[in-house]
Amino acid sequence: MTQELTSPSPAPQAPGTGRGPGWWRDAVIYQVYVRSFADSDGDGIGDLRGARERLPYLKDLGVDAVWLTPFYASPQADGGYDVADYRAVDPLFGTLQDADELIRTAHDLGLRVIVDIVPNHTSDRHPWFQDPELARQRYLFRPGKGESGELPPNDWESVFGGPAWTRTDRGDWYLHLFAPEQPDLNWDNPEVHAEFEAIMRFWLDLGVDGFRVDVAHGMIKAPGLPDIGHGAQAQLIGAQVLPFFDQDGVHAIHRAWRRLLDGYGDAHGKQVIGVAEAWAPTAERLALYVRPDELHQAFNFQFLNAPWQSDALRSVIDASLAATASVGAPTTWVLSNHDVVRHTTRLGGSLARARAATLLMLALPGSAYLYQGEELGLPEVTDLPDEVRQDPAFFRGGRATGAVGPGTDTESAPDGVAAGGQDGFRDGCRVPLPWSGELPPYGFGPGGSWLPQPADWGGLTVAAQTGDPASTLELYRAALELRRRLPGLGDGPMSWAPAPDGVLALTRPGLLCTVNTLGHDVGLPAPGTPLLSSAPVTVDDATAQLPGDSCTWWAI
Ligand code: BGC
């Protein structure tokens, strides 16, 4: 049965306001995990100058924007998601001038820049937390339970493992949904709201085009901070509304930020966006974050977590499109990021599946996020020695990640690779990029690299893959080039076409995309002329042979 799915029409251009159809509606946004992208000074840690020098590579790759993970002043207890000063650049990554130059260079190249903002918590080294009086008002302190307050105020667990509360020398407790070095802010305090609005304006004035809002589902906690009543809470994230995640109250904050972003954009003749890193139990609840007066995009982790199986993929695509269409927002697709197992490894350790999944993602209506290194087909590094690991969850005995919910395709994961990464941790997807050469650090920088790179990455470098039409890098370049050139891709309508079991066929204006999720060839009447394929496709006597685990774009 053919089903018509229509993605919502863009809002009309409002003259003189800088609002228009919305550049984000079909943008391809590339995530730069700054410490692992490119190192300019030889300390083995990627930095802003390194990233700026590599921007032409991203322009040439064909993306529309970059998202930079936190580079702010931070003790680095959680890879910079523990911010001590939201207006300063950590010396590890450079200076404010480096940030300014990066933004200008990106704009000169026609690339937009999104930066992270971390509003759920700060670092414990933040001046607010360091001042006992201010801390009491701006964070969540509570007396303990038990005869002498020796027990935590409730049963909440940290996402990184262990209790979500730490007791102070003064005897009371503070809440930290992540590491103890990341105390949760008190969003009942108007000063917290005012400060984050001021921080946003600071970065907007420096020219950024938007914010990726970290833990956008976390700022508001249920009144009275009620117990949950059972353990293993990390498994519930994204599966149900929790007293600390996906509370309805967070939407008022996003509405205020949308007013700020629109107001700023109108005043400056540009469109600045907010993208929610939000974990919600259903596509419908996730869509609430992208209602017309809230943020512009939300990461679609339901798609990321879908198994490599045609029915499952189809239903998650349908649910995602229907939910976002109901609020007039575009859908946002993502397969990899700095918190999850790289999709090459997650999808059964199969580069063929990863390439096919990417072509599928880029054929879907809406916007797509790429994570650095996926364009090289990098696998997760699964044999990092314990002494080099830095993920705070590893040291707290937690299972996984910043906010990774359940449902990862563990069944097709290779042995020993748990949902959250190596043993459930996140360093394995953060290994610095290989740019060139046969030996580590593969052109990452003039020194070493903060996590060891595998000895066999010489064939995966940017230099090794450039110009090789069979390489994953050239597949990404070709797909992004077609996406820019073919008006039917990006935002717009999509419908399903009939296909054999195990195969998906979806049509966009002028294009048909087939995905064979089975491990063997499938023959079908050639639907058109092949434009691009993740694996060599043959057409004989009007019959196409779709290779196992492949995706093909056909001109129709
Ligand atoms: C980020 C993680 C981080 C966590 C706490 C997440 O959503 O993506 O990397 O550990 O937030 O800030």
Side-chain angles (χ1 to χ4, degrees), residues 78 81 121 160 178 212 214-215 277 338-339 402 426 430:
D78 179 22
Y81 283 95
H121 45 264
F160 293 154
F178 294 88
R212 177 262 191 192
D214 188 61
V215 195
E277 187 233 7
H338 67 295
D339 288 332
R426 300 173 296 175
R430 299 176 176 181

Side-chain angles (χ1 to χ4, degrees), residues 298-349:
F299 291 109
N300 180 356
F301 295 123
Q302 318 242 351
F303 177 68
L304 180 151
N305 276 332
W308 185 243
Q309 208 255 341
S310 58
D311 291 346
L313 286 167
R314 181 172 166 154
S315 65
V316 93
I317 291 167
D318 282 347
S320 309
L321 290 172
T324 49
S326 72
V327 294
T331 309
T332 303
W333 312 98
V334 60
L335 286 165
S336 283
N337 66 33
H338 67 295
D339 288 332
V340 301
V341 177
R342 284 186 174 278
H343 68 280
T344 299
T345 301
R346 199 178 67 237
L347 295 173

Side-chain angles (χ1 to χ4, degrees), residues 270-296:
K270 63 194 275 200
Q271 298 171 315
V272 289
I273 69 160
V275 50
E277 187 233 7
W279 288 85
T282 60
E284 289 73 28
R285 278 198 73 85
L286 185 65
L288 300 180
Y289 290 80
V290 290
R291 284 178 284 191
D293 59 348
E294 297 202 29
L295 298 183
H296 300 73

Side-chain angles (χ1 to χ4, degrees), residues 184-202:
D184 277 50
L185 284 161
N186 171 18
W187 277 86
D188 287 335
N189 183 335
E191 291 158 342
V192 173
H193 292 248
E195 173 65 357
F196 274 88
E197 297 204 355
I199 293 165
M200 283 184 163
R201 287 186 190 283
F202 175 86

Side-chain angles (χ1 to χ4, degrees), residues 262-444:
D262 282 351
Y264 193 96
D266 288 352
H268 294 81
K270 63 194 275 200
Q271 298 171 315
V272 289
I273 69 160
V275 50
E277 187 233 7
W279 288 85
T282 60
E284 289 73 28
R285 278 198 73 85
L286 185 65
L288 300 180
Y289 290 80
V290 290
R291 284 178 284 191
D293 59 348
E294 297 202 29
L295 298 183
H296 300 73
Q297 296 183 330
F299 291 109
N300 180 356
F301 295 123
Q302 318 242 351
F303 177 68
L304 180 151
N305 276 332
W308 185 243
Q309 208 255 341
S310 58
D311 291 346
L313 286 167
R314 181 172 166 154
S315 65
V316 93
I317 291 167
D318 282 347
S320 309
L321 290 172
T324 49
S326 72
V327 294
T331 309
T332 303
W333 312 98
V334 60
L335 286 165
S336 283
N337 66 33
H338 67 295
D339 288 332
V340 301
V341 177
R342 284 186 174 278
H343 68 280
T344 299
T345 301
R346 199 178 67 237
L347 295 173
S350 160
L351 180 60
R353 283 186 186 177
R355 288 163 56 101
T358 297
L359 275 201
L360 165 63
M361 171 171 84
L362 293 175
L364 295 171
S367 165
Y369 277 78
L370 307 180
Y371 175 50
Q372 66 180 38
E374 67 169 81
E375 77 279 17
L376 306 176
L378 293 189
E380 183 84 359
V381 178
T382 56
D383 58 357
L384 289 171
D386 287 356
E387 59 273 17
V388 304
R389 300 212 239 190
Q390 302 213 3
D391 183 350
F394 176 72
F395 302 100
R396 289 180 58 80
R399 178 189 73 96
T401 74
V404 171
T408 304
D409 181 15
T410 41
E411 273 170 22
S412 62
D415 289 349
V417 181
Q422 180 185 355
D423 308 333
F425 305 106
R426 300 173 296 175
D427 293 312
C429 63
R430 299 176 176 181
V431 172
L433 286 198
W435 291 92
S436 59
E438 289 300 324
L439 294 173
Y442 302 111
F444 170 64

